[in-house]
Amino acid sequence: MKLKHFDDALNWWENREEIEVNGFPKAKKYTIDEIIERNYNIELCGLAQEEEVILDPMDLIHEYQERREALNAEIDNVLEQITSMLGGD
C-alpha cells in the first residue's frame, strides 16, 4: 500500500463530514457520551451485514430433498410436454 491509498481517509479526517450509504453510516463523528452509551464499542460505522441462517444438518438435508423433489417434478413435467409435442406416448 502507498500513502496515496489513504487520501480519502485523510481528507475526511480534515473535514469530518458524516457519510451515509444506503441508510448506514460509513463515516460519522461521535461524542464521548455516545461512545460511553455504547459501552465503548468503537465499531459504530460497521458495514451492513446480512444475517446468515445456519440450519441443523438434518434440517438442511430435508430442505435439500424437498427442493430436489420439486425440481425433479418440474423436469418430469417438461419432459412429458416435450414427449407429447413430439407425438410420443
Side-chain angles (χ1 to χ4, degrees):
M1 291 190 108
K2 297 182 180 180
L3 187 57
K4 70 179 181 177
H5 294 125
F6 295 95
D7 285 347
D8 289 340
L10 294 172
N11 290 334
W12 177 85
W13 192 261
E14 295 298 321
N15 300 317
R16 304 234 185 142
E17 293 180 19
E18 294 185 7
I19 301 170
E20 194 172 291
V21 176
N22 296 327
F24 295 97
K26 298 299 174 193
K28 180 174 171 69
K29 186 164 79 172
Y30 290 91
T31 66
I32 188 66
D33 290 334
E34 290 173 310
I35 293 172
I36 292 170
E37 285 174 20
R38 293 174 175 262
N39 199 26
Y40 297 94
N41 178 359
I42 59 171
E43 190 180 349
L44 303 174
C45 287
L47 299 173
Q49 298 178 4
E50 291 183 29
E51 289 188 28
E52 181 180 359
V53 176
I54 300 174
L55 297 176
D56 175 76
M58 292 309 296
D59 291 339
L60 186 61
I61 289 169
H62 182 69
E63 184 179 296
Y64 168 78
Q65 288 172 331
E66 286 178 345
R67 278 194 273 159
R68 185 179 65 183
E69 286 174 15
L71 288 171
N72 283 339
E74 188 177 333
I75 290 169
D76 289 344
N77 184 30
V78 170
L79 288 175
E80 285 177 22
Q81 290 176 5
I82 292 171
T83 302
S84 177
M85 284 183 220
L86 295 174
D89 334 356

